[in-house]
Amino acid sequence: MPIAPNLDQTRAVVRLILGNSPDLIYRELALGKEGRRAFLLFTDHLVKKEQVMGLIDSLTIKLRKEKYPSDTAALTDFLLQRAVIASEVNTSRTLGDVTSAVLSGDTVMLVDGLDVGIRLSTRGWEHRPPEQPLSEPVVRGPKVGFTETLAVNLALMRRRIQSESLRIETMVMGERSHTTVALLYIAGLTLPSLVDETRRRLQRIRVEAVYESGVIEELIADNPFTVFPLIKQTERPDVVESQLLQGKVAVLTDGTPHALTMPATFAGEMQAAEDYYQHWTAGSLMRMLRYTFLLVALLGPSAYVAITTFHQEMLPTQLLLSLMASREGLPFPAVVEALIMETSLEVLREAGVRLPKPVGQAISIVGGLIIGESAVRAGLVSPVMVIVVALTAISSFVIPIFAAGLSIRILRFPMMLLAGTLGFYGIVLGLLIISVHLASLRSFGVPYMSPTMPPTAQDMQDLMIRAPWWYMRKRPQFMPVLDRFRVGKNSRPQPDKEG
Amino acid sequence: MAVFTGAFLGLVPTLTSVYVAVRHPGQGPAQIAQIVLGKWLGRLVGAVYAAFALWIYSLVLRDLYDFMTSVLMTRTPGVVLVASMAAVVLYGIWGGLEPLARVAFQVVTAVGTGVVLLMLLSSREYNILQREPFLFQGLGAVLESTWETATWFSEGVIAMWLVAHVKQPRQAFRWTLIAYLCAALTLAGITLTISLVLGPNLPSRLLYPTFSLSEIISLGAAVERLEVLLVIVWTSGIFIMLGVYLLATSTAAAHTLGLKSHRVTAVVLTLAGVWIVGLWPSSLDVAEFSGAPLRLLVHGGTLVFIPLVLLVGTLVHGALQRRRSASA
């Protein structure tokens, strides 16, 4: 709907559209010597109050004796260039533009006789400062994470990549929420086809509201039925930076600190930011430990169930005897025992996360120590099972990305059932199903199991081990990019020949 | 030595099949046969290949059945074990060859590592004198054993199905030869190890000599009897083999029947395979042990005769096409 030159009429229509919400402020003004009627429209607590006050001061005090042009075009130019103070000023031609600008934190000035609104960028609201992300802490590395404010997050990215090739495109999503979403990539590095594909998938989204980036993730992922995260999510700007510099694209969503980067790979989910900040030997050790304990997290209880139920002959006699002695008199078969213990652990974990922090810790202590101890004393579970479950729980925390850990936790249950019914044969069948499933997954055209399935020899330098930086001259081969090199020639440190 | 002579003999039908497949990129054997031999004769060849691949699929499934029920899962009904594996294999080929091929690389790596570990861990038991009786048998024994290995290596005609999915078919020859060499070295290595440890007589009486070899391994006092781990690797290898043959039989059947997707035939043939193995096992005994003439007919016909016919047909077809294009 166009803006009517009659101010009273425009005001009435705006009120009709926006309602009489108490947070919408209509500030009446009289401009210049002639006292031309105008009003400012903005949303309380979404604007920088000082900026709006400065604007009112300029219009009503500093320019009160100024003669405003009578011609509409000249008046618009005068207002845009001289009268209003803001870092960004432009015009709105429809009432739709006016309302969306006001609701996003901008201020709009409507003037009697003008069929355009003067839109001023005055966005500013309370937000928490960037802090160390709770879900991805590091010992060595930047202690800063994204916040819920997109502008802050974009500024964090600009600070990390001060290159003119960093491109940021924004779009608005959610029919009612009008959430701003930013698409980031590096021009000249990221494949244009990947950017186009991501943009196309984002533009295809039709939802009422984007509550969190998880909504976008579910709506643009390649396979909606897999338990594995096909899009990497992170709260760390340094991780987004590294992903962008691998030729990937990132999506930041207003209202959440969780950024999305794509394409994702399973190996990528096993990489922690700190692997690249510590010395490569330490990083490699951590990697190897992580992969080893990934197997424990997935197969710990199932292996225990398979061995105690079907393959006792695998164990040395002494170990077997003590194991059987600890299971003596237990009312449940090993598989039921494992299922009960694992379910209890998941309940405790969920309760610990949902409850306030001090209560959550108490729940963990009560659940983990007291109930576990009591269950063993009561003869409901064996002490070995408690050890296995505890080790499995610790192992699942080794996986750096929460979503990847979640998928392993989900798969642990069917694996236990398979082990309880078919022993190691069942475990092999389960692993084969998981392998085939993983091998069939793709994330934005890239095989999810890259660089192992299909194998690329060069990329093994950043898989189980993390090779030294001077050795990793090329970007990952599985990721098609426009610029292959990331480390210069002769980067290997060595003393001068004279020295 | 018999392994290498058998491999050399088996190389002829295999390379013939690869050549035929390379000349018809993107086509399975049933489709190739229809191109070079005509619609109906081609369909007949497709049906023969589908039946042959189903037979091998069922034999491998039967191997799994026998091994599991006699060694590892003696109290579990065999049909459950076979049906569960068949279901997993069906899932494995549901999306075509790509996921299976990717998993195959990992499995082959695991199998290779397993074989090397087996050879190394059993090296304490090597006795070179165990080889002596073999030397007295002379070349006659080598030639006698060559037949067994040659038929096994001739199953390389399966490459005709695989080449259809390769992006650069020209590289098929190189990779076939590499795979051949690896398979021959693995088989020769494991045969040598078994004979060095178990001698000349015992392995011939054992149903699963490799499994028996693994039973003697003990890693300190921590873990005994590592054969379960070997079974895990072996089962993964069986999965890949079953997957390849199920894909072969289902695509050949689909092409013969004129279906676009192999999925319907894959479901039907999976059920057929489980039925043959679990509920009608004697059919396989008849097919496998009914004597040399039948085996010669089946192996010679499908592994040698048909590839050669397809080779001749391809050459004639190509020559005719060239003549037509020249006259046009």
Side-chain angles (χ1 to χ4, degrees), chain A residues 108-131:
Chain A
V108 176
M109 183 167 76
L110 293 162
V111 183
D112 196 26
L114 282 190
D115 59 355
V116 293
I118 309 295
R119 177 179 176 166
L120 305 97
S121 175
T122 54
R123 293 178 195 191
W125 48 83
E126 292 298 319
H127 58 81
R128 69 178 173 93
E131 294 162 348

Side-chain angles (χ1 to χ4, degrees), chain B residues 14 33 35 42 48 65 71 133 160 166 173 219 315:
Chain B
T14 304
I35 291 168
V48 169
Y65 179 101
V71 176
M160 219 187 306
V166 176
F173 283 104
L219 274 183
L315 293 173

